[in-house]
Amino acid sequence: MKTFKYIKSVAFAVLAVVGMTSCDDFLDKLPDDRAELNTNEKITQLLVSAYPSCNNLLIAEMITDNMDDNGRGYSSPVICEDLYKFEDTSEEGNDTPYYIWNGYYGSVATCNQAIEAIEAMGSPESLRGDLAEAKLIRAYSMFMMATTFCMAWNPEKADEYLGLPYPLVPEQDINSTYERGTLRELYAAIDKDIEEALPYIAEAAANYAVPKYHFNVKAAYAFACRFNLYYQNWEKAVQYANQVLGADPTTVMRDYEPYRDLGFVDFANRWIRSEEDANLMLLATYSIGPRYLNSSYRYAHNYTITAYETFWVDMPWGGGSDGNTIIYANKLYGSNQCVRFPTLMEQFEYTDKVAGIGYPHAVDPVFTGDLTLLERAEALALLGRLDESVRDINTWVKTHCKEKEGSTIRPVFDVDSITRFVGRMDYAKRKPDGWRDRSMRKHLHPQGFSIAAEGSSQESILQLILHMKRLETVFHGIRFDDIKRYGIEYIHPISGESPLYFIRGDLRGAVQIPNTVIAAGLPGNPRQSADEIKALVNSTLKEYGEEPEEEEEE
């Protein structure tokens, strides 16, 4: 297999997240003492800087069906246009593939430095927690790389799909060579780090004044749940979620009552507080993603998507903005071109307030009790334990919906009521001709696993869970994972042009790695040709009785 010279990631400022007393005061610089990592305290300090300073939110969101075209009268940043059009991008600024490649691999390099130092000290018991934390950060960074630059886990193709280099030692020799390996090898390496770390992560939590900015116990098990859900280890996903949720999941879920009277800014700031029980782990990153996702650019989460696919879709808890019991219905901001639920707001760090310059940041609750509950519900449904899955669904509904709004009463689901409700909905068409052809219900083509037939109770429950997850995570990138895992097909309309299709098993689901890395010798992600994509699109249109795309004249 082809190898490449590993080029050490660009050095980033060493950041430590501290208590969120204000929007501007949340980053604290620490010295980088890597030259002499000879005490427990220095290793613990180094691990503060090991958490990734980047995120994949912009990349993951722009590719999904959460986005629409507002028309040629609106501008778009180049990176957003490239991603929306499913094109490989050569951009290298914040939030680009180049930026997050360096950011996540920089995190891995710091973890490896800490692990080497711990081993050099004889791996004392007093550092077992630090070792566990280092392995979890490394696993998390590589997991985020995998969900961005690789195809979804599919055991049937895991030896065919490309993985990513998984460095295990600090990079001191630039001539070190790595292979991309396979997706199977990559997931096995992530799994190994997680399993080795979990028994000792509780010992790491004692090191920090604010554990929610680190891999505390609940955050570690929430990560293990998500990874195993994606890895198709449903039983383990449930077991790890149980460790997070306990006997009463509402103790780690968001209480929305204090949010109902808040405006956009106060709502957004409360959302990312460490005191919020639902927030299991917070990451602060350099990012302009919130600015792009919350603005009325050409490609955005607009009224069409909001009304007919996400927040205002007719559901048992209500539809539209009136007579709707769900919290989202009356907490949407923006314009018809960009509808925002205030969970992702830019936090700006001024370096010169007079000049108005500084660094944009995003603070993201990467693990929450609410999402962990839905991930457990999904794993239970995939195991066929439908009654248990519906119990989690009802817990989510109870915490997210008021008892009554106008004539609408908060629903209490059972297996039959979900099957009947979802069964009455039309599937979204691949090629919608107006809003009537849109729907939250989309044909599922699971990648490497199977579910019961369309219209079955299992399929209906999974449709509802995927919709709930979509609402829970708009602007936070998780929808991209679910699209790839379930082979969900959709279009990105282009004003005045033919629409662009995303199909099941679409190789563009693995975002192209940076050009500079390919130039250094690492194989890029393969792509289907335009003719191959068109043939696949026409095949799937015919499969569900829709007119195929017309052949272009030569």
Side-chain angles (χ1 to χ4, degrees):
M1 181 174 290
K2 191 174 182 181
T3 61
F4 76 109
K5 290 185 177 181
Y6 183 82
I7 303 175
K8 192 170 181 178
S9 301
V10 177
F12 285 87
V14 179
L15 304 175
V17 185
V18 297
M20 299 283 285
T21 55
S22 72
C23 295
D24 297 326
D25 185 20
F26 70 102
L27 293 175
D28 181 34
K29 297 197 176 10
L30 289 174
D32 189 342
D33 286 338
R34 298 184 196 195
E36 294 184 287
L37 291 173
N38 51 15
T39 68
N40 290 17
E41 290 75 17
K42 288 181 179 180
I43 290 172
T44 298
Q45 278 194 337
L46 178 65
L47 286 176
V48 174
S49 72
Y51 285 86
S53 59
C54 62
N55 66 66
N56 75 338
L57 301 179
L58 183 66
I59 291 175
E61 281 298 309
M62 290 307 305
I63 296 176
T64 70
D65 54 357
N66 286 336
M67 297 292 154
D68 194 18
D69 185 359
N70 286 316
R72 296 175 181 238
Y74 295 86
S75 63
S76 175
V78 174
I79 179 63
C80 294
E81 182 162 0
D82 287 345
L83 293 168
Y84 182 85
K85 291 184 175 180
F86 309 127
E87 294 177 353
D88 299 343
T89 184
S90 59
E91 294 293 291
E92 295 187 354
N94 277 19
D95 302 282
T96 63
Y98 174 87
Y99 183 82
I100 71 168
W101 177 278
N102 280 311
Y104 285 126
Y105 269 128
S107 169
V108 171
T110 305
C111 292
N112 289 339
Q113 192 78 36
I115 291 170
E116 182 184 66
I118 291 169
E119 291 173 347
M121 294 171 65
S123 301
E125 286 193 11
S126 60
L127 286 172
R128 289 190 308 188
D130 297 82
L131 182 61
E133 185 181 14
K135 289 183 177 181
L136 275 179
I137 301 170
R138 180 170 68 185
Y140 174 76
S141 290
M142 292 307 304
F143 175 69
M144 295 305 295
M145 291 279 283
T147 58
T148 305
F149 295 111
C150 298
M151 298 294 286
W153 170 257
N154 181 340
E156 298 168 5
K157 295 187 176 182
D159 295 316
E160 169 190 340
Y161 286 153
L162 287 173
L164 292 167
Y166 202 108
L168 298 174
V169 295
E171 298 311 315
Q172 297 174 339
D173 178 4
I174 62 171
N175 292 316
S176 296
T177 57
Y178 283 96
E179 299 178 352
R180 282 199 63 167
T182 65
L183 192 64
R184 188 180 304 281
E185 292 168 331
L186 175 58
Y187 268 68
I190 296 171
D191 187 43
K192 183 175 184 292
D193 268 348
I194 292 173
E195 292 299 321
E196 290 179 353
L198 286 178
Y200 305 107
I201 193 59
E203 297 178 30
N207 293 329
Y208 302 109
V210 187
K212 288 189 178 180
Y213 298 127
H214 306 270
F215 266 113
N216 56 79
V217 174
K218 288 189 181 298
Y221 279 97
F223 174 35
C225 166
R226 184 174 303 165
F227 172 75
N228 280 282
L229 177 66
Y230 291 11
Y231 205 17
Q232 300 179 20
N233 292 329
W234 322 129
E235 289 282 4
K236 288 181 75 172
V238 171
Q239 292 169 12
Y240 289 143
N242 291 344
Q243 295 292 319
V244 179
L245 301 170
D248 181 7
T250 62
T251 61
V252 288
M253 295 179 69
R254 207 171 295 273
D255 176 8
Y256 279 102
E257 285 308 313
Y259 288 83
R260 293 189 185 277
D261 295 326
L262 299 179
F264 184 91
V265 173
D266 289 338
F267 190 113
N269 283 334
R270 186 181 182 95
W271 189 271
I272 58 174
R273 289 175 60 190
S274 62
E275 294 85 1
E276 172 60 67
D277 292 336
N279 293 335
L280 306 180
M281 190 169 93
L282 298 158
L283 279 187
T285 59
Y286 290 110
S287 176
I288 205 166
R291 187 181 305 178
Y292 287 170
L293 293 170
N294 284 303
S295 300
S296 295
Y297 286 112
R298 178 172 177 178
Y299 308 110
H301 179 264
N302 61 16
Y303 172 83
T304 300
I305 300 296
T306 302
Y308 305 116
E309 292 202 26
T310 58
F311 296 116
W312 284 342
V313 169
D314 286 334
M315 297 296 292
W317 52 70
S321 59
D322 298 324
N324 200 328
T325 63
I326 200 163
I327 178 68
Y328 306 122
N330 302 118
K331 284 297 176 185
L332 298 177
Y333 297 83
S335 64
N336 285 347
Q337 289 71 43
C338 183
V339 180
R340 301 170 287 168
F341 184 61
T343 64
L344 186 68
M345 184 177 74
E346 181 178 299
Q347 309 287 330
F348 198 81
E349 177 193 12
Y350 284 98
T351 55
D352 187 333
K353 284 194 174 183
V354 175
I357 59 175
Y359 298 107
H361 297 278
V363 179
D364 185 23
V366 291
F367 300 109
T368 67
D370 301 76
L371 186 52
T372 302
L373 180 82
L374 292 179
E375 289 170 335
R376 182 173 74 176
E378 182 185 347
L380 288 167
L382 289 165
L383 287 167
R385 294 158 61 177
L386 303 186
D387 288 328
E388 294 173 78
S389 178
V390 172
R391 183 179 62 196
D392 282 346
I393 289 172
N394 280 325
T395 299
W396 188 90
V397 170
K398 187 175 181 179
T399 56
H400 285 65
C401 300
K402 292 186 285 188
E403 290 186 19
K404 186 177 181 180
E405 182 66 32
S407 61
T408 305
I409 299 173
R410 181 176 64 205
V412 177
F413 290 112
D414 58 30
V415 172
D416 290 338
S417 66
I418 293 174
T419 306
R420 288 194 302 271
F421 179 82
V422 175
R424 290 195 295 267
M425 303 181 74
D426 291 329
Y427 284 96
K429 288 190 175 181
R430 302 298 201 291
K431 189 165 55 173
D433 183 19
W435 64 266
R436 292 181 183 275
D437 291 338
R438 292 183 177 273
S439 173
M440 76 86 171
R441 189 186 191 195
K442 299 188 177 182
H443 296 287
L444 306 180
H445 310 94
Q447 301 295 291
F449 62 100
S450 59
I451 60 175
E454 291 187 347
S456 67
S457 293
Q458 185 191 48
E459 191 258 0
S460 298
I461 288 169
L462 285 169
Q463 289 279 0
L464 181 58
I465 292 169
L466 289 173
H467 180 61
M468 290 173 164
K469 288 178 70 180
R470 188 178 183 184
L471 299 183
E472 187 74 36
T473 62
V474 166
F475 293 174
H476 292 269
I478 300 296
R479 178 66 175 175
F480 183 46
D481 300 340
D482 288 348
I483 283 170
K484 294 199 294 184
R485 294 170 54 230
Y486 282 89
I488 296 172
E489 301 180 332
Y490 57 98
I491 67 164
H492 273 176
I494 305 293
S495 178
E497 302 177 28
S498 298
L500 300 173
Y501 290 82
F502 193 89
I503 55 177
R504 70 192 80 166
D506 200 313
L507 295 181
R508 294 169 299 181
V511 173
Q512 190 57 271
I513 65 176
N515 291 337
T516 51
V517 179
I518 296 174
L522 191 66
N525 287 325
R527 291 288 184 258
Q528 289 124 330
S529 69
D531 288 341
E532 288 174 323
I533 291 174
K534 188 159 191 175
L536 291 168
V537 166
N538 282 335
S539 175
T540 191
L541 289 172
K542 291 176 183 177
E543 181 181 354
Y544 292 99
E546 296 185 45
E547 289 294 320
E549 290 288 296
E550 294 182 1
E551 296 293 335
E552 296 180 2
E553 295 183 4
E554 295 184 0

